[in-house]
Amino acid sequence: MRTLRIATRSSPLALWQSNDVAHRLRAAAAVDVELVLVDTHGDRTQALGVPLHEIAGQGVFAKEV
């Protein structure tokens, strides 16, 4: 069986969205789906308590995914 890997952040919303897509892919095609959690610069910076408005640039959470 083929395996499709989906990169995703570990936030609750990102995981919900990724799991929904994975479920739909499993149902529609004969593929195994694996979620790969990506820890982005935005996640690491926000975990240190830096406010979101101080993190520079757009895509700070998504461009590494």
Side-chain angles (χ1 to χ4, degrees), residues 13-65:
L13 177 59
L15 284 174
W16 185 90
Q17 292 169 330
S18 298
N19 278 308
D20 183 55
V21 170
H23 174 76
R24 292 169 188 262
L25 286 169
R26 288 181 189 115
V31 295
D32 186 31
V33 180
E34 175 187 351
L35 297 183
V36 178
L37 301 182
V38 178
D39 187 30
T40 67
H41 171 70
D43 293 318
R44 291 185 301 273
T45 305
Q46 203 169 33
L48 295 173
V50 177
L52 187 57
H53 70 274
E54 290 182 14
I55 302 174
Q58 287 185 326
V60 71
F61 293 103
K63 70 179 168 184
E64 293 175 59
V65 175

Side-chain angles (χ1 to χ4, degrees), residues 2-22:
R2 299 175 298 166
T3 299
L4 177 67
R5 298 174 78 200
I6 298 175
T8 183
R9 293 179 52 234
S10 60
S11 71
L13 177 59
L15 284 174
W16 185 90
Q17 292 169 330
S18 298
N19 278 308
D20 183 55
V21 170

